[in-house]
Amino acid sequence: MATATKPQNNTVEAKKRIAGVKNDARRVRVTGLVPAVLYGAGLEPMTITVDPKQMLRILYSETGHNTIFDVNVEGANAKAMIVDWQFEPIKGSLLHCDLKRIAMDKMLTLKVPITLMGEALGVKTQGGVLEHVLREVEIECLPADIPSHIEVDISNLVFGVNIRVSDLPKNEKINILSDENAMVVHLTQIKEEVVATPDAAAVDAAAGPAEPEVIKKGKTETEGAATEEKGKKTEEKGKK
């Protein structure tokens, strides 16, 4: 099931600005506004300033950057979407955004998120681990039919059953452009770590070097006495 995005009733107020002037963007931000560019619909791009609070409210809404809203540039109204934006990396404040004019009778190509609904049977009964591989899908539709997201029921998901793009809910107003064979979600299994059994050589190495063989004391004394007795006999024989 896909929830359609309705055009917003709110209007973003904007003012023209002269681009290319040194430190122009910095001066704009000092006033509490942010620089932006409005383009598309076959018209010349226009450099403008917008209220960052309005932009953030749109970006953090349910439909996010796919939200269609009215932008009023000094009396000239147009339908638009936020197509690009930039945040300051440390403070997280909005630095810049690009707005695209939207023709409500022309098809759009954009990406929408995939939302998983329910709890997979394979997680509850088979000990599986859910892996959400593809989190958004590319679609084509008219601006009035843009879904905020596409819902996928995973209640019956078990091992051996995979959900691919081709399994997503069909909607006659939306054309899905992503590869139909692309994996959306499936179950995986945690592999148990196998501890290798050390072989005999490893055990010997761990035990340290072998102790040297010890010659018994009694045997040493006996051999010494025999050697001494033989020496005496040789000495007596020499005297004779």
Side-chain angles (χ1 to χ4, degrees), residues 129-229:
V129 177
L130 192 71
E131 185 174 5
H132 192 176
V133 181
L134 188 66
R135 296 184 176 272
E136 59 181 12
V137 64
E138 188 174 38
I139 67 168
E140 182 185 52
C141 65
L142 289 172
D145 298 324
I146 299 174
S148 60
H149 61 276
I150 294 179
E151 295 179 356
V152 179
D153 185 5
I154 61 170
S155 301
N156 296 321
L157 189 64
V158 294
F159 281 112
V161 176
N162 303 319
I163 297 179
R164 301 181 182 274
V165 169
S166 58
D167 301 315
L168 296 177
K170 302 298 186 293
N171 187 322
E172 60 181 10
K173 296 182 179 180
I174 298 173
N175 297 324
I176 297 179
L177 304 179
S178 297
D179 181 6
E180 63 178 12
N181 293 317
M183 182 71 69
V184 176
V185 60
H186 67 139
L187 294 180
T188 60
Q189 192 170 19
I190 299 178
K191 295 182 179 180
E192 295 183 1
E193 185 178 355
V194 179
V195 180
T197 303
D199 54 22
V203 172
D204 291 343
E211 294 182 0
E213 183 179 356
V214 178
I215 300 175
K216 292 182 179 180
K217 185 177 180 181
K219 183 178 179 181
T220 304
E221 290 178 349
T222 302
E223 290 178 351
T227 302
E228 184 179 355
E229 182 64 26

Side-chain angles (χ1 to χ4, degrees), residues 59-75:
L59 288 173
Y60 294 141
S61 67
E62 180 184 1
T63 51
H65 64 89
N66 288 334
T67 303
I68 298 175
F69 55 90
D70 291 311
V71 57
N72 181 9
V73 185
E74 299 177 359

